[in-house]
Amino acid sequence: DAGVTQSPTHLIKTRGQQVTLRCSPKSGHDTVSWYQQALGQGPQFIFQYYEEEERQRGNFPDRFSGHQFPNYSSELNVNALLLGDSALYLCASSDDRSSYEQYFGPGTRLTVT
Amino acid sequence: GQSLEQPSEVTAVEGAIVQINCTYQTSGFYGLSWYQQHDGGAPTFLSYNALDGLEETGRFSSFLSRSDSYGYLLLQELQMKDSASYFCAARMDSSYKLIFGSGTRLLVRP
């Protein structure tokens, strides 16, 4: 049973560029959440997708957008990258009825220079 | 606002018992989860408390007191592999997101 997968593992971008991160949820899960984790901090909720719609959003600017596909996989897009966007981006999947138990992927380490 | 407070670091000896506390200030609190994260790894779900009391899962137990806005994770028979960061995370009523604490770094010494 495949767990949550994310790609790419690492990414280096320049300020002002745009980036797309990808996530495939654990088999049987229909809900995907995205988190940003700065070094030494807890994950911060960006948004959650369910039934191909953004169901809830955290305190992140509109530069952060996403998408969920019919197969439940998801993308996170960040436009106009800032140095402060450098972080580990985690994707987590869950069953809609058990959102307290989220399965995290290994993350994408984004470095903005 | 919504926030969770945890100690930043805890050190314990192999074979001992350690308790990691979490206090929360949130409106519409629904339940408390615990996650483990090794350096360079992904957070892994450990336990969840929706009701007051103790939940036991092998060497790990988690406790919740809603009246005190307080919970803890108890790790018994500590092993070197338990060295990791531990996060409490709260779920709110009518919300789908988890709010994470800043994490407690546990160091297990021989």
Side-chain angles (χ1 to χ4, degrees):
Chain A
D1 180 20
V4 179
T5 60
Q6 291 186 244
S7 63
T9 305
H10 295 86
L11 203 53
I12 299 175
K13 289 287 190 178
T14 304
R15 274 182 304 174
Q17 287 188 315
Q18 178 265 344
V19 68
T20 297
L21 311 182
R22 296 177 175 81
C23 170
S24 290
K26 179 178 169 61
S27 178
H29 285 179
D30 54 9
T31 303
V32 173
S33 302
W34 286 92
Y35 293 83
Q36 180 193 68
Q37 186 176 26
L39 202 60
Q41 298 296 316
Q44 298 294 310
F45 178 80
I46 301 175
F47 41 53
Q48 184 180 89
Y49 276 84
Y50 174 69
E51 293 188 340
E52 302 180 52
E53 296 287 333
E54 181 184 293
R55 179 158 70 175
Q56 188 166 11
R57 189 178 186 89
N59 295 325
F60 280 80
D62 292 343
R63 298 187 296 109
F64 289 76
S65 63
H67 190 76
Q68 185 179 35
F69 299 93
N71 66 352
Y72 307 120
S73 67
S74 177
E75 288 182 349
L76 164 66
N77 301 291
V78 186
N79 295 322
L81 284 167
L82 303 174
L83 295 179
D85 294 332
S86 295
L88 180 68
Y89 288 85
L90 295 163
C91 168
S93 73
S94 58
D95 182 293
D96 182 51
R97 297 166 296 175
S98 308
S99 62
Y100 59 84
E101 182 176 354
Q102 300 199 359
Y103 289 77
F104 284 83
T108 295
R109 173 71 62 185
L110 173 65
T111 302
V112 182
T113 62
Chain B
Q2 300 171 333
S3 66
L4 293 90
E5 297 291 329
Q6 306 178 233
S8 58
E9 289 186 1
V10 173
T11 301
V13 178
E14 193 175 14
I17 299 173
V18 71
Q19 178 174 312
I20 298 174
N21 299 321
C22 174
T23 57
Y24 58 88
Q25 294 182 354
T26 61
S27 56
F29 175 83
Y30 193 82
L32 193 70
S33 299
W34 288 91
Y35 287 80
Q36 177 193 61
Q37 185 177 30
H38 287 96
D39 285 347
T44 303
F45 174 80
L46 293 176
S47 68
Y48 175 68
N49 294 73
L51 303 175
D52 283 2
L54 191 68
E55 293 283 341
E56 297 181 77
T57 308
R59 295 188 297 115
F60 294 0
S61 302
S62 59
F63 172 83
L64 178 65
S65 169
R66 288 173 168 271
S67 60
D68 295 323
S69 298
Y70 164 75
Y72 67 71
L73 179 70
L74 192 72
L75 296 83
Q76 303 181 72
E77 301 174 12
L78 280 173
Q79 302 175 10
M80 299 297 291
K81 67 178 182 179
D82 296 330
S83 293
S85 292
Y86 293 84
F87 296 91
C88 57
R91 183 188 168 194
M92 306 296 113
D93 285 339
S94 303
S95 173
Y96 302 100
K97 69 179 181 180
L98 289 179
I99 300 171
F100 282 79
S102 56
T104 299
R105 192 171 182 85
L106 171 64
L107 175 61
V108 180
R109 296 184 288 108

